[in-house]
Amino acid sequence: MLQAIYILLFAVLAILAFANLFRSLLSLGLASQRVIPQEPAWDGAMPSREPRQPTLHPELLDDRGRLINEPLLVMRQISVEDVRDRLDALYEASPESKGGDSEEPPTAPLA
């Protein structure tokens, strides 16, 4: 009998949780489609009817403040064999792979 009450309560809570989830999604969807008119801040001057210039991120501007018209990140596709060759070259160039002068002293085995 006690298990049936737990299952019933769990089912009710699950239904309430899903109803709340769908209600939240619906209200978020409606709020994202709503257009809120922006009122200009009154500072004593007449508001201008000119559209505002968007503020650009500083990384998109050069030293003179002009917009950069070039790609900021260029990626090229390389083959798996090329990647393996580069990793092997890095491994072979590492000091540990030469079997010699390691900066850490050898540790004695624990007895």
Side-chain angles (χ1 to χ4, degrees):
M1 181 65 192
L2 196 56
Q3 291 89 1
I5 293 174
Y6 284 146
I7 291 172
L8 182 65
L9 287 175
F10 180 77
V12 169
L13 288 176
I15 290 170
L16 289 175
F18 278 111
N20 190 19
L21 174 71
F22 289 129
R23 190 173 351 120
S24 297
L25 286 174
L26 183 64
S27 65
L28 182 64
L30 292 175
S32 68
Q33 293 177 355
R34 186 176 8 169
V35 177
I36 300 173
Q38 294 181 352
E39 295 181 15
W42 181 256
D43 58 355
M46 292 297 292
S48 63
R49 297 287 179 192
E50 299 174 8
R52 291 184 180 180
Q53 293 287 335
T55 306
L56 298 175
H57 195 275
E59 291 181 356
L60 297 176
L61 304 175
D62 62 2
D63 295 334
R64 296 181 183 171
R66 294 179 299 187
L67 184 65
I68 296 174
N69 193 14
E70 62 185 40
L72 299 177
L73 176 65
V74 177
M75 297 177 65
R76 64 183 179 102
Q77 184 176 359
I78 57 176
S79 67
V80 174
E81 290 81 21
D82 190 26
V83 172
R84 285 184 181 156
D85 292 340
R86 289 184 184 187
L87 287 175
D88 288 339
L90 283 174
Y91 178 74
E92 294 297 326
S94 68
E96 288 82 19
S97 68
K98 295 181 178 153
D101 305 334
S102 175
E103 294 189 19
E104 296 180 357
T107 58
L110 298 174

